[in-house]
């Protein structure tokens, strides 16, 4: 059966000493839920975080990676480099990567393949912009993001894929999708998966919601049947808030 997951995306925040402070306070938190917990520090702090959280049940994941194994790609990081510092899971397709670094569905399909070839797990992000939602085109946008980057895969690949629906208008804005909007979209995503891969695959994939999740709204969002957890930005930078969300299940 699918798992509940709460993943903290630290984005481009926290230098080494700030990372140490956050890791120290994360280790002091008590988990009372059954959720899988992940944090995604910047590349420069991955190894440090992996070492610090080695004895904990918090998994350290990466925010991005390149599709190539190695070579002349200045400034980029490969799957095998991530694995060599203990990282087994990578976030791909975050809307900030799509918007500011021109990541297209086609590029993301290559990154997905590279991660799976390296036996990594993927948190695959997608979501519509405000204009899509206002134009009632949000389901089409989300379906095409999923199909273009993932539907060349076989069913077995979905054992290593977690989906994260993040409406762009809700990221970092303080405006959250209502629990009903999240549920409706998650049910639509699951149906899209079921139509292609069958119900067993659709029911086994965890679908996270992301976009201004906070301690105050997490419980209601997570109570929806097709919401299996959250990808948390701003609120993941404070250990107490992050664990209030982890424990909202
Ligand atoms: P937010 O970010 O929680 O700050 O809205 C979510 C995300 O970008 O994953």
């Amino acid at each position: 059966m699918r798992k509940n997951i709460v993943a903290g995306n630290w984005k481009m925040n926290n230098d080494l000493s700030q990372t140490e402070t956050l890791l120290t306070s994360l280790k002091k938190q008590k988990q009372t839920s059954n959720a899988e917990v992940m944090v995604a520090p910047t590349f420069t702090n991955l190894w440090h975080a992996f070492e610090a959280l080695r004895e904990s049940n918090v998994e350290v994941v990466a925010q991005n990676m390149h599709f190539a194994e190695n070579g002349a790609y200045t400034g980029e990081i490969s799957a095998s480099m991530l694995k060599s510092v203990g990282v087994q899971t990578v976030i791909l397709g975050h809307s900030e990567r799509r918007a500011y670094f021109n990541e297209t569905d086609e590029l993301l399909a290559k990154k997905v393949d590279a991660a799976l070839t390296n036996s990594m797990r993927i948190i695959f992000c997608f979501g519509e912009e405000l204009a899509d939602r206002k134009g009632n085109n949000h389901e089409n946008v989300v379906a095409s993001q999923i199909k273009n980057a993932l539907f060349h895969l076989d069913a077995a690949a979905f054992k290593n894929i977690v989906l994260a629906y993040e409406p762009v208008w809700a990221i970092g804005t303080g405006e959250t999708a209502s629990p009903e909007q999240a549920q409706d979209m998650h049910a639509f995503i699951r149906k899209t998966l079921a139509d292609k891969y069958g119900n067993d695959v659709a029911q086994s994939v965890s679908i996270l919601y992301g976009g201004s999740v906070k301690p105050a709204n997490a419980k209601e969002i997570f109570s929806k049947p097709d919401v299996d957890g959250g990808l948390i930005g701003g609120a993941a930078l404070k250990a107490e808030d992050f664990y209030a969300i982890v424990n909202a299940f």
Side-chain angles (χ1 to χ4, degrees):
M1 230 15 234
R2 58 189 192 250
K3 294 174 184 145
N4 293 327
I5 298 171
V6 177
N9 174 11
W10 295 358
K11 308 191 179 183
M12 197 173 75
N13 293 297
N14 294 336
D15 63 16
L16 180 57
S17 84
Q18 291 164 326
T19 297
E20 277 171 354
T21 306
L22 181 50
L23 290 168
T24 303
S25 57
L26 277 176
K27 285 195 283 186
K28 289 189 190 137
Q29 305 301 313
K30 276 230 157 45
Q31 183 172 351
T32 55
S33 71
N34 66 353
E36 256 187 68
V37 183
M38 304 177 185
V39 295
T42 53
F43 286 130
T44 53
N45 293 319
L46 284 173
W47 168 243
H48 190 81
F50 178 74
E51 286 284 297
L53 296 172
R54 210 185 255 282
E55 306 292 314
S56 78
N57 63 350
V58 181
E59 184 183 348
V60 176
V61 312
Q63 298 176 18
N64 180 33
M65 58 168 243
H66 195 265
F67 60 80
E69 266 309 305
N70 50 49
Y73 297 98
T74 301
E76 293 292 331
I77 312 266
S78 71
S80 56
M81 290 169 187
L82 294 176
K83 290 189 76 178
S84 74
V85 294
V87 173
Q88 302 286 346
T89 302
V90 62
I91 298 171
L92 293 177
H94 192 280
S95 69
E96 288 149 18
R97 300 293 319 168
R98 294 175 188 260
Y100 307 141
F101 303 97
N102 304 319
E103 295 203 359
T104 60
D105 292 345
E106 197 187 10
L107 175 80
L108 290 168
K110 288 198 208 174
K111 292 191 176 198
V112 163
D113 290 345
L116 294 174
T117 302
N118 281 278
S119 309
M120 292 185 75
R121 189 152 66 138
I122 298 164
I123 300 176
F124 185 76
C125 307
F126 51 84
E128 83 282 1
E129 296 189 22
L130 188 57
D132 305 318
R133 166 92 31 196
K134 284 191 169 152
N136 201 26
N137 199 32
H138 47 291
E139 289 188 347
N140 289 336
V141 169
V142 162
S144 74
Q145 287 171 325
I146 294 173
K147 287 177 186 169
N148 293 342
L150 301 178
F151 274 18
H152 62 287
L153 301 172
D154 60 19
F158 282 82
K159 286 196 189 77
N160 291 314
I161 294 178
V162 171
L163 299 179
Y165 167 58
E166 299 201 298
V168 177
W169 48 272
I171 296 179
T173 58
E175 190 175 343
T176 325
S178 69
E180 292 68 32
Q181 284 173 321
Q183 167 57 26
D184 287 352
M185 184 58 94
H186 284 220
F188 170 76
I189 294 161
R190 219 177 284 289
K191 180 173 180 311
T192 304
L193 281 181
D195 289 347
K196 167 86 175 168
Y197 293 103
N199 207 39
D200 286 355
V201 170
Q203 289 301 327
S204 70
V205 174
S206 295
I207 308 177
L208 315 185
Y209 168 80
S212 298
V213 178
K214 296 184 178 55
N217 59 24
K219 206 179 187 74
E220 211 189 339
I221 296 171
F222 294 171
S223 71
K224 295 296 177 192
D226 286 297
V227 178
D228 305 309
L231 183 55
I232 319 300
L237 297 173
K238 284 210 184 93
E240 294 77 15
D241 287 356
F242 185 58
Y243 267 80
I245 296 169
V246 168
N247 292 332
F249 280 103

